[in-house]
Amino acid sequence: MLRHARAAARHPLAFAGKIAASVVSVALVSSLGIAALAFADVNRNIQDNSQVHLVQQKSAGQTAPPVKKSIQPAATALEGEFNVLLVGTDTRTGQGAQFQNKADQQASSGVGNNDVTMLLHVNAAHTAATVVSFPRDLVLAIPSCPSSSGGWYSSMSAQMLNTALTYGGLSCPVLTIEKLLGIDDINYAAEISFDGVAAMSDAVGGVPVCLATPINDPYVGLHLPAGTTSIKGQDALAFLRSRHGVDDGSDLARISNQQNFLSSLLRTITSAGTLSNPIKLYQLAEAATQNMTLSDTMGDTKTLVGMAVALKSIPLSQITFVQFPVVSDPTNTNRVVADEYGASVLAKAIQDDQPVVLSASTGRGTVVAGSGATTPPASPTTPATTPTTPAGGTSTPSSGDVTLTKGATGQTADEQTCTKGVTSYPGG
């Protein structure tokens, strides 16, 4: 049993993946009827927060040219396949009074660590999307990354993934995941902090989450009963941060807990109650854009709306959340390394722009709703045209789909799962 990352008391932000592009852009593209002033406010937030040049492997160290800013977006889809990397920083700097005590400041300040790293891949046909979650304690090679002073840091052969953001800014996690997956086209990236989680969950009026058993995590101050509860604000943040409260207390259990929340959030966003409410949509766009640092390649509304148009036709059953396949690090049981075969299958699917199908059910921190552990959560109704996923956590393969190994656990966005409360584990 993997026990990595149990010793540390800090439990950072866990929000994103598909949300990096789709929550912001779905909100924007659905809000085109809002008053021009309101739209300009959102656009100004995007431009104000667009501060990061990404370094691309394929351009031999040259930064990608910034996109031209535009006030009025054209509602046309972004062409072809695209990749978006979203990182959640665990920084306590500027994150409110609850993170201003000495212990928090010592835990993480300044840029912080990328304790959540998710890649969204949308295929060229805009019929499927894959969201890959990479464990924070994944030990891997970090390539040479740019420094803030204009120089370059040396490459490293074996470091934890969550050090990449501190090591070389937003470009460094991008370069690291490109190297890991054997790709060179993560052209879009965004960073979100603690405040963004609370604000976005508030904007949709709360996110219903299902618990198979109660969660009691004193480290993040979260106490939730079994059953379905709508959470928002600091409770949503605590739910996503919770590690000691979920299953065996590992970061891998927390990943499946995050997938439970994100899939429910997507169902909430795509429900009629949200899409038909311009106030909610505007608040959602505001909450996201005020709390994100974007790469300049996605730093205007035209690009975000282009992503939204590409994404909005993808049914929830074809949005697949996947945990990157890992095994215990033979040199340190508190760390993980890539499962070479499982990782290669997933990487090749992304390289070849092929949709993926899970062969395993959910990750270690969740169970399928209705599987005997609890009853299905009362989540918002999704559009009638959205196909459903068969019980058990897998979708039906079609021609060209890649079936992943059992090490690649996860769920589709239309699948309702329930989080398992903590079990006993060494170290308490």
Side-chain angles (χ1 to χ4, degrees):
M1 179 174 65
L2 301 180
R3 298 188 292 109
H4 61 286
R6 288 179 182 147
R10 57 191 174 87
H11 308 287
L13 169 69
F15 195 85
K18 158 104 172 150
I19 307 310
S22 69
V23 166
V24 182
S25 52
V26 165
L28 288 171
V29 78
S30 304
S31 304
L32 295 181
I34 296 176
L37 177 60
F39 186 84
D41 285 343
V42 174
N43 186 78
R44 184 163 51 252
N45 290 339
I46 295 171
Q47 296 194 27
D48 288 346
N49 290 336
S50 302
Q51 303 172 351
V52 181
H53 270 307
L54 294 184
V55 174
Q56 304 294 316
Q57 285 185 340
K58 61 187 176 185
S59 58
Q62 298 299 310
T63 57
V67 294
K68 183 179 180 181
K69 311 297 188 210
S70 62
I71 295 295
Q72 192 63 36
T76 56
L78 202 65
E79 293 185 2
E81 64 180 282
F82 58 90
N83 294 305
V84 182
L85 191 76
L86 186 127
V87 301
T89 172
D90 71 347
T91 184
R92 271 67 166 172
T93 301
Q95 296 302 301
Q98 69 270 33
F99 297 114
Q100 295 307 307
N101 61 60
K102 185 176 180 180
D104 270 321
Q105 288 302 307
Q106 289 176 339
S108 184
S109 59
V111 175
N113 299 311
N114 53 300
D115 270 359
V116 173
T117 305
M118 290 182 174
L119 177 72
L120 163 68
H121 174 79
V122 177
N123 71 341
H126 302 162
T127 57
T130 304
V131 183
V132 185
S133 293
F134 299 89
R136 49 160 278 175
D137 298 327
L138 173 62
V139 176
L140 76 176
I142 294 182
S144 179
C145 293
S147 72
S148 58
S149 62
W152 288 78
Y153 295 110
S154 300
S155 60
M156 297 181 288
S157 60
Q159 297 291 322
M160 283 174 54
L161 172 60
N162 78 329
T163 64
L165 183 65
T166 300
Y167 180 59
L170 190 56
S171 285
C172 202
V174 169
L175 291 169
T176 300
I177 297 303
E178 284 185 336
K179 180 178 179 63
L180 179 65
L181 297 179
I183 60 178
D184 63 2
D185 57 353
I186 302 178
N187 296 321
Y188 308 100
E191 176 188 320
I192 189 168
S193 60
F194 286 139
D195 284 347
V197 179
M200 292 176 73
S201 60
D202 283 343
V204 295
V207 177
V209 293
C210 176
L211 276 67
T213 53
I215 284 184
N216 291 290
D217 187 348
Y219 290 91
V220 296
L222 183 67
H223 304 279
L224 295 176
T228 300
T229 303
S230 180
I231 57 175
K232 60 182 179 178
Q234 293 304 313
D235 282 344
L237 174 58
F239 183 81
L240 290 165
R241 293 173 63 203
S242 179
R243 180 165 53 82
H244 287 283
V246 180
D247 192 56
D248 63 356
S250 70
D251 186 51
L252 300 187
R254 181 169 59 178
I255 284 176
S256 53
N257 185 51
Q258 295 164 9
Q259 292 171 341
N260 175 11
F261 181 94
L262 291 172
S263 62
S264 181
L265 177 60
L266 282 175
R267 293 193 296 271
T268 301
I269 291 171
T270 56
S271 68
T274 300
L275 291 180
S276 63
N277 188 328
I279 295 176
K280 278 189 177 181
L281 289 171
Y282 175 64
Q283 290 173 339
L284 182 62
E286 277 279 281
T289 55
Q290 285 179 345
N291 292 285
M292 298 179 77
T293 298
L294 307 175
S295 63
D296 56 12
T297 49
M298 61 186 297
D300 74 335
T301 50
K302 181 177 180 180
T303 299
L304 289 171
V305 169
M307 290 179 177
V309 175
L311 285 160
K312 71 176 184 177
S313 61
I314 301 176
L316 295 180
S317 62
Q318 297 303 311
I319 300 171
T320 306
F321 292 94
V322 182
Q323 177 195 290
F324 184 76
V326 295
V327 295
S328 182
D329 185 344
T331 66
N332 186 345
T333 56
N334 291 325
R335 304 287 179 261
V336 294
V337 293
D339 174 356
E340 291 187 7
Y341 178 69
S344 67
V345 173
L346 175 57
K348 192 171 191 309
I350 294 174
Q351 293 167 12
D352 295 343
D353 191 34
Q354 293 178 291
V356 300
V357 175
L358 298 167
S359 63
S361 60
T362 64
R364 66 176 61 190
T366 54
V367 294
V368 176
S371 61
T374 187
T375 56
S379 60
T381 304
T382 54
T385 56
T386 301
T388 58
T389 301
T394 59
S395 54
T396 304
S398 60
S399 178
D401 289 357
V402 172
T403 301
L404 302 176
T405 65
K406 291 186 176 180
T409 59
Q411 67 174 94
T412 55
D414 70 329
E415 183 181 7
Q416 296 179 335
T417 58
C418 300
T419 295
K420 296 184 294 183
V422 73
T423 57
S424 61
Y425 55 87

